[in-house]
Amino acid sequence: MPEETEGRAGVTRVEAYSDAVIAIVVTIMVLEMHAPEEPGWGHLLHLWPIFTAYALSFAYVSIYWVNHHRLFHHATRVTNGLLWSNIALIFTLSLIPFGTAYLGEQIFSRDATLVYMGIMLLPSVAYMWLQRTVRRTGSQSEESQAYHRLALRKGAAASIVYASGIALTFVSPALGLACAALVALFWCLPASALDHLFER
């Protein structure tokens, strides 16, 4: 039986579902930040690891949302591959609140950083699967193909940096998190000087 497909209306529905789940992910993260029960700046400043972990994760979730939005501009129809690769991405993103809370509560310990970096690697891999699906089934215009070539190379580089960060965490958690910050630089701007590193 041939795979059923939907047009842009179906793509819009998938994107709306993804937006809703990502919004819930951010909401869960901020709800994990509990205000201190005792007054005073000292007790508030004591929460810096939790807030720092939240800010870092918020930046990552925002980057995924921006790139997901840009990617779906090139999707033209819904296929089973698109649905399941998108669900895989949403699942991996839903793990971020746990990793964020664990990282903050454990004050960037080695084990917590390993868990966090592992969770960060998962959506990176899932996003590449989704993008390859969109590239195969979506717009075949020259503009779309140029976008996919650049973004897929950046995605592969990001996954390599995440994997390197996991290994470096055994040396120092700070080195692992520095790799995570480097990945953010890959994606934080729609176009940056770093893009030239991935051009042919």
Side-chain angles (χ1 to χ4, degrees):
M1 181 177 179
E3 183 183 67
E4 294 183 4
T5 61
E6 302 174 48
R8 281 297 305 175
V11 170
T12 301
R13 184 180 179 190
V14 174
E15 188 174 9
Y17 167 75
S18 304
D19 290 347
V21 174
I22 291 173
I24 293 171
V25 168
V26 172
T27 301
I28 292 174
M29 286 196 306
V30 75
L31 290 177
E32 289 292 330
M33 294 197 304
H34 303 291
E37 296 181 358
E38 299 180 14
W41 286 104
H43 295 288
L44 189 62
L45 292 175
H46 186 68
L47 299 178
W48 74 264
I50 296 174
F51 179 79
T52 302
Y54 165 76
L56 184 62
S57 294
F58 182 87
Y60 282 121
V61 173
S62 298
I63 288 169
Y64 275 108
W65 180 83
V66 169
N67 283 284
H68 187 275
H69 174 70
R70 295 184 184 280
L71 175 62
F72 267 61
H73 171 73
H74 302 279
T76 57
R77 60 195 178 100
V78 176
T79 65
N80 282 337
L82 179 73
L83 290 172
W84 287 110
S85 57
N86 190 71
I87 288 172
L89 174 64
I90 293 302
F91 170 74
T92 57
L93 290 176
S94 73
L95 298 175
I96 292 180
F98 171 78
T100 303
Y102 190 49
L103 184 68
E105 292 291 344
Q106 298 298 315
I107 315 179
F108 307 104
S109 69
R110 187 186 70 177
D111 290 347
T113 303
L114 284 172
V115 170
Y116 185 77
M117 292 299 295
I119 288 175
M120 289 293 104
L121 177 61
L122 292 177
S124 180
V125 174
Y127 187 86
M128 285 195 296
W129 177 24
L130 174 62
Q131 183 167 4
R132 289 182 185 279
T133 301
V134 173
R135 184 181 191 181
R136 186 178 67 254
T137 63
S139 172
Q140 300 298 308
S141 69
E142 183 177 342
E143 176 190 1
S144 294
Q145 293 307 307
Y147 167 83
H148 289 306
R149 284 194 297 270
L150 175 61
L152 281 169
R153 286 196 291 269
K154 289 173 70 175
S159 294
I160 292 171
V161 174
Y162 275 133
S164 300
I166 292 174
L168 288 173
T169 297
F170 287 99
V171 179
S172 168
L175 290 176
L177 292 173
C179 287
L182 180 60
V183 172
L185 291 177
F186 287 165
W187 297 105
C188 64
L189 297 175
S192 70
L194 284 172
D195 290 342
H196 297 298
L197 296 176
F198 305 97
E199 293 177 348
R200 287 182 176 178

